[in-house]
Amino acid sequence: MFDFAVFGSLFLTLFVIMDPPGITPIFLALSSGRPVKVQRRMAWQAVCVAFGVIAVFGICGQQILDYLHVSVPALMIAGGLLLLLIALDLLTGKTDEPKQTKDVNVALVPLGMPLLAGPGAIVSVILAVQKADGAAGQISVWAAIVAMHVVLWITMRYSLVIIRVIKDGGVVLVTRLAGMMLSAIAVQQIINGVLQVVQGA
């Protein structure tokens, strides 16, 4: 009743795409300056949002895209542009957004989506669900999805210790580095989307 090959394949794919170690500095940059309780809530909210989005697209993702007449490359380009805007804010140190609103938005966008539940993860889950054979395959697919989100929550939850170690100066440095990393991810995602459009033309 459990296919370890399917579980391992999807878990590794999602691990590479969602990149828990790589998300840590971005989470630290976006959550710095807030009470520990708020930071923990942000980590939990981000994982819940990501899982919700992944679950919805896993169940009826292809139908959603077909109904909206949205292609996968378009989804990738839109996600890349959104990430690029967030990266520019991190690089320039923009902090003019109200703190309470920012707390909520950061957990939902960009952490929950499109950083965690991005186009790559969504497409991988849609394909995995479609290819899974029988109950054993479906159980293995959803077990991999749940396991990946548990890993993401643990990673972000315990990365808060780093903030208390590196202090304010370190947080500023991490914020700038995260902005550079995020901008590179965003540009690469846009390039991948454009290439897919060109190849499909």
Side-chain angles (χ1 to χ4, degrees):
M1 289 297 294
F2 194 87
D3 192 329
F4 286 98
V6 172
F7 174 87
S9 176
L10 181 58
F11 182 84
L12 289 176
T13 300
L14 291 178
F15 190 91
V16 171
I17 294 173
M18 300 176 113
D19 190 17
I23 205 70
T24 299
I26 298 173
F27 174 73
L28 292 176
L30 294 174
S31 64
S32 63
R34 295 170 175 79
V36 174
K37 186 177 180 180
V38 173
Q39 292 171 331
R40 291 174 180 172
R41 186 172 70 245
M42 288 172 61
W44 176 248
Q45 288 177 335
V47 171
C48 287
V49 168
F51 180 78
V53 172
I54 291 291
V56 168
F57 277 94
I59 296 170
C60 52
Q62 193 60 56
Q63 292 86 342
I64 292 174
L65 295 181
D66 292 342
Y67 178 77
L68 296 175
H69 303 290
V70 173
S71 65
V72 173
L75 190 65
M76 295 177 69
I77 294 172
L81 291 173
L82 178 59
L83 289 180
L84 190 58
L85 290 175
I86 302 298
L88 292 176
D89 284 349
L90 291 177
L91 285 169
T92 57
K94 182 180 177 182
T95 57
D96 57 354
E97 194 174 2
K99 186 171 182 181
Q100 186 175 359
T101 305
K102 189 174 181 180
D103 287 342
V104 176
N105 286 347
V106 164
L108 306 182
V109 178
L111 277 176
M113 182 177 182
L115 271 177
L116 299 181
I122 289 173
V123 172
S124 297
V125 168
I126 291 175
L127 294 177
V129 170
Q130 290 176 349
K131 292 179 181 178
D133 294 327
Q138 292 293 335
I139 291 173
S140 303
V141 165
W142 288 100
I145 294 171
V146 171
M148 185 67 249
H149 284 81
V150 170
V151 170
L152 285 168
W153 178 77
I154 291 174
T155 302
M156 289 190 292
R157 168 68 174 76
Y158 290 99
S159 67
L160 299 178
V161 178
I162 300 175
I163 291 181
R164 294 193 288 272
V165 174
I166 62 178
K167 305 299 183 183
D168 291 342
V171 168
V172 172
L173 177 61
V174 168
T175 301
R176 299 299 182 266
L177 290 175
M180 291 179 61
M181 291 169 54
L182 196 55
S183 62
I185 293 171
V187 171
Q188 186 62 56
Q189 191 163 296
I190 294 171
I191 291 173
N192 291 343
V194 172
L195 288 176
Q196 288 193 25
V197 170
V198 172
Q199 291 171 359

